[in-house]
Amino acid sequence: IPVRGVDTVWFETHRYLILAFLRNYLDLNPLRKDLLQLGLVPPPQTVRIILLDNVLRSKVGGMRDLALTVTDLAKLDIKPRKIYFFDDLSTALSLPDIPGVVAIVLPSIIGEICKINWIAHSQCVYVSGIEMRSFAVINNLRVYLPNTQAPVLSKNVFMANRDLVSFDDIELEELNADMALTVDESMLYNLLALGTFGRRARIPQERIPLLVIYSLLDIQVEDNQMFTVVKENSQAEEDVAKAPSNVAPKAQEDEVQAVSNETKVISSN
């Protein structure tokens, strides 16, 4: 910030006071609370990827865990066989090496990620928890990558792990029959939305045992290969190197907003 004595930490700490002071002078939108309207440039959003194949790692200096901007991600000269999209970083980091596979922790910019050439030409699998927003995410993925599979979003998986259920604050909205879900996914979505297993029931990805995920992804591991990654602190995050399916329904043109406080009940037909 080109004002002597005013640094970004102070500016962010006092942002509401600053916005209130400048709102009339600069004719700022009263509904916006962000600092971007003052002309500040935000830091680029990075995408966390884990290269689970030694050959793929050789293309990036042998590194396994990377955080890259979308622009740099598109520049990678790799051709993975399969992409695993994850919601939870710790679960993704716990995967063993798998030939030809890259794990990506999904950011909010799903469309930009799906348009990257080496991702679009790979087999894609969404490894999620079982909650309302997961269905919106798989729909948004299939807008761009219609053959993306979602093995966790199954009634059988939910029932087998029902003891792990927690409850979320979710609002139900009107029928939406255009979501790109399989029949099995559609059935589970409706059961959850209607409160069949308890109001606002969900199983977050971090609560699903690794052995269950390995089984769903057909990953073979020895007992001595099992390990779990503990949540990283913010400093550790900064130290990271910066560097086909049976889906029949048609994906709607616009992405469904994947927010935690609203869902749409869909038809199972």
Side-chain angles (χ1 to χ4, degrees):
I1 298 174
V3 178
R4 184 172 178 80
V6 179
D7 57 76
T8 53
V9 174
W10 183 91
F11 208 80
E12 291 173 356
T13 302
H14 298 86
R15 61 187 180 276
Y16 297 121
L17 178 62
I18 294 170
L19 288 173
F21 178 74
L22 297 176
R23 194 172 308 282
N24 291 333
Y25 290 99
L26 300 179
D27 194 25
L28 302 179
N29 185 340
L31 299 180
R32 290 182 58 177
K33 304 298 182 183
D34 61 278
L35 294 173
L36 302 184
Q37 57 188 317
L38 298 179
L40 300 179
V41 178
Q45 182 176 1
T46 57
V47 181
R48 197 71 172 264
I49 70 169
I50 300 95
L51 303 174
L52 303 175
D53 178 89
N54 191 47
V55 175
L56 296 176
R57 290 197 290 270
S58 69
K59 301 286 188 178
V60 293
M63 291 181 286
R64 189 178 199 266
D65 179 13
L66 301 171
L68 303 170
T69 64
V70 174
T71 300
D72 289 338
L73 195 64
K75 294 178 182 177
L76 290 182
D77 183 22
I78 59 175
K79 295 181 179 180
R81 172 180 57 88
K82 184 173 290 186
I83 303 291
Y84 290 150
F85 293 115
F86 279 85
D87 288 328
D88 180 57
L89 173 60
S90 294
T91 305
L93 288 172
S94 298
L95 292 179
D97 278 0
I98 310 170
V101 175
V102 172
I104 298 178
V105 182
L106 272 177
S108 58
I109 46 177
I110 290 178
E112 295 181 45
I113 295 297
C114 294
K115 292 176 183 177
I116 294 175
N117 188 61
W118 59 266
I119 294 177
H121 287 83
S122 303
Q123 299 177 34
C124 295
V125 179
Y126 175 42
V127 188
S128 66
I130 302 178
E131 49 191 314
M132 292 304 181
R133 69 170 299 275
S134 300
F135 293 92
V137 171
I138 186 58
N139 174 81
N140 293 344
L141 284 170
R142 286 173 179 161
V143 169
Y144 303 96
L145 306 170
N147 291 325
T148 302
Q149 300 174 350
V152 180
L153 297 180
S154 161
K155 180 183 177 182
N156 290 337
V157 175
F158 185 93
M159 296 303 295
N161 298 279
R162 194 171 175 181
D163 60 307
L164 303 176
V165 167
S166 61
F167 299 90
D168 202 358
D169 184 14
I170 296 174
E171 297 295 333
L172 303 181
E173 288 194 353
E174 71 277 4
L175 181 73
N176 180 359
D178 294 326
M179 297 275 280
L181 303 180
T182 64
V183 173
D184 190 33
E185 293 164 359
S186 176
M187 179 185 302
L188 176 60
Y189 194 114
N190 282 321
L191 290 173
L192 292 174
L194 295 173
T196 305
F197 306 114
R199 191 163 182 244
R200 302 166 180 170
R202 63 193 285 261
I203 304 179
Q205 183 175 83
E206 56 269 23
R207 290 180 63 84
I208 300 176
L210 285 176
L211 285 178
V212 173
I213 292 176
Y214 289 169
S215 176
L216 292 170
L217 299 180
D218 197 25
I219 298 174
Q220 304 297 322
V221 294
E222 301 294 337
D223 289 341
N224 59 4
Q225 290 180 291
M226 291 291 294
F227 64 95
T228 302
V229 178
V230 179
K231 291 288 186 182
E232 302 173 337
N233 58 33
S234 58
Q235 183 59 46
E237 292 271 353
E238 295 174 1
D239 291 339
V240 174
K242 297 294 182 182
S245 85
N246 59 344
V247 179
K250 180 178 69 66
Q252 59 189 29
E253 294 181 358
D254 296 326
E255 296 185 18
V256 173
Q257 184 67 31
V259 293
S260 61
N261 64 344
E262 63 179 24
T263 66
K264 297 180 185 296
V265 181
I266 63 169
S267 171
S268 61
N269 294 329

